[in-house]
Amino acid sequence: MTDRRPLRVGMVGYAFMGAAHSHAWRTAPRFFDLPLAPELAAVAGRDPERVAAAAEKLGWESAETDWRRLVERDDIDLIDICTPGDTHAEIAIAALEAGKHVLCEKPLANSVAEAERMTDAAEEAAARGVMSMCGFSYRRTPALSLAKRLVDSGALGTIRHVRAQYLQDWLTDENAPLTWRLDKSKSGSGSLGDIGAHIIDAAQWVTGQGISGVSALLETFVKERPMGGDFVGLGGAGRTGGPKGPVTVDDAAIFSARFDGGAAGAGSGAIGVFEATRFALGRKNAMRLELNGSKASLAFDFEDMNSLWFYDAAEEPNAGFRRIQVTEPSHPYTGHWWPVGHGLGYEHAFIHQVVDLVEAIAAGKQPAPSFADALQVQRVLEAVETSAADESRWTKVEEGA
């Protein structure tokens, strides 16, 4: 038993992200001393049998077949949105207007216009003490959080270069089935929004600088895919000989970028190169970030997620990249887990996300990344698409009001 005030969660969606979020809500209070006690009150999905099975498997107390019931229920304090992007705006705005805190998966929406409406609703709700956060979970990977700490300390000096990649290979089979992630009306974009959004957010967050302009290329390598088959993980095996449907999103996105300099001001920002693809054979989840500064460099690769590589120019002529094993108690989040050298996994970032969100709600503070932060990422995504559609013409990122 606990005397902490409960935080009763209603989650919409129960597939890949739903499973990750469910694990996080269950686990966070068992390793962190949270100021509120999360309760898995209800999960919503359209199929009665499947959502009931998901509720039992993932640990939810009840199931609903309409997300609106979660918003209406008095015994739910927070709505966790784990659905395709075309539903984010409607669910989030309704939840905020009903006085529910919101955690929304990335990208925030399928368009800047939707993201702006969500951000307006979030800011109005915040004035009433109702909080919202966008789920850019990689921020909570301890090694990437340590990278942020090093940049903020001035260890890298002036940031000059940013290299960001997100490389996967689950779509390289031309017979992989046509899932919702390949339908622009549901997903908003392909590799650009699905995984490119992560490296955009990570690069801006770690450097403390926003992207101000881009020149981009988008490519769709496979134009049609089977409309049925066996779905496994994110993809699967398509049905051979059956009907095919059009792929309406990008398979790969590449763009160069200029940063705004952050607090240093315009004209002093870094330059960057970004790549997101689901066609990099052999790369399973290579989310990478490298920064070169005037004093030092650092490099991170999620496929080696418990390590951060750091180069200090002051150590010349004997300098070299050294590997920091990010498992010390003094490193971000790691002191709540295992003995030194016992690494963490993919799921821990979602647990840390819950921890930060619950602590912010309890303190009445805006959690990060806010919807406004996610809106800025959405504006970068839009600028990339605009540039790619106009022969890679240099395109400024729209500034907020």
Side-chain angles (χ1 to χ4, degrees), residues 16-292:
F16 170 32
M17 279 298 100
H21 283 226
S22 299
H23 178 270
W25 287 113
R26 291 195 313 268
T27 307
R30 289 166 172 78
F31 285 85
F32 293 78
D33 295 326
L34 300 182
L36 304 174
E39 295 180 1
L40 283 68
V43 59
R46 290 171 294 183
D47 186 298
E49 292 185 1
R50 292 176 66 185
V51 73
E56 182 176 358
K57 180 178 181 179
L58 299 175
W60 295 87
E61 297 173 6
S62 62
E64 300 283 358
T65 56
D66 189 334
W67 62 264
R68 295 169 184 82
R69 280 287 301 127
L70 298 183
V71 173
E72 294 166 357
R73 283 175 51 166
D74 293 333
D75 64 338
I76 288 177
D77 305 305
L78 181 147
I79 301 295
D80 186 353
I81 304 171
C82 298
T83 55
D86 63 319
T87 63
H88 287 184
E90 183 181 12
I91 299 172
I93 292 171
L96 290 167
E97 290 179 346
K100 315 290 188 186
H101 306 294
V102 172
L103 170 61
C104 183
E105 260 302 323
K106 47 53 56 191
L108 187 62
N110 279 4
S111 69
V112 168
E114 287 181 340
E116 287 176 338
R117 291 195 291 113
M118 295 171 73
T119 301
D120 289 344
E123 291 175 352
E124 292 173 6
R128 306 190 306 271
V130 178
M131 301 302 167
S132 56
M133 186 172 82
C134 189
F136 284 104
S137 56
Y138 286 105
R139 288 191 180 199
R140 272 78 187 191
T141 304
L144 204 57
S145 291
L146 180 59
K148 169 68 171 172
R149 183 184 291 179
L150 288 168
V151 171
D152 288 349
S153 74
L156 271 72
T158 301
I159 305 299
R160 292 167 173 165
H161 286 285
V162 176
R163 297 180 192 86
Q165 295 178 313
Y166 204 144
L167 312 178
Q168 297 177 337
D169 71 354
W170 60 273
L171 275 178
T172 51
D173 180 359
E174 296 188 13
N175 194 47
L178 191 68
T179 68
W180 69 265
R181 293 177 186 272
L182 305 177
D183 181 349
K184 187 174 179 63
S185 68
K186 292 184 173 63
S187 63
S189 64
S191 290
L192 175 62
D194 186 23
I195 54 180
H198 274 303
I199 54 175
I200 292 168
D201 178 71
Q204 294 187 134
W205 175 63
V206 173
T207 63
Q209 301 183 31
I211 295 172
S212 59
V214 300
S215 174
L217 274 174
L218 299 178
E219 183 61 52
T220 303
F221 299 115
V222 179
K223 312 296 185 185
E224 291 185 326
R225 290 187 178 274
M227 296 179 68
D230 297 323
F231 296 90
V232 179
L234 295 175
R239 182 180 297 130
T240 59
K244 292 186 175 182
V247 175
T248 54
V249 300
D250 58 282
D251 287 329
I254 300 175
F255 64 95
S256 57
R258 180 169 290 283
F259 289 75
D260 63 11
S268 58
I271 57 174
V273 180
F274 290 74
E275 179 183 10
T277 179
R278 301 184 287 210
F279 275 71
L281 269 171
R283 301 301 180 192
K284 303 304 178 181
N285 203 44
M287 187 273 202
R288 299 168 167 174
L289 182 67
E290 179 171 324
L291 307 181
N292 305 132

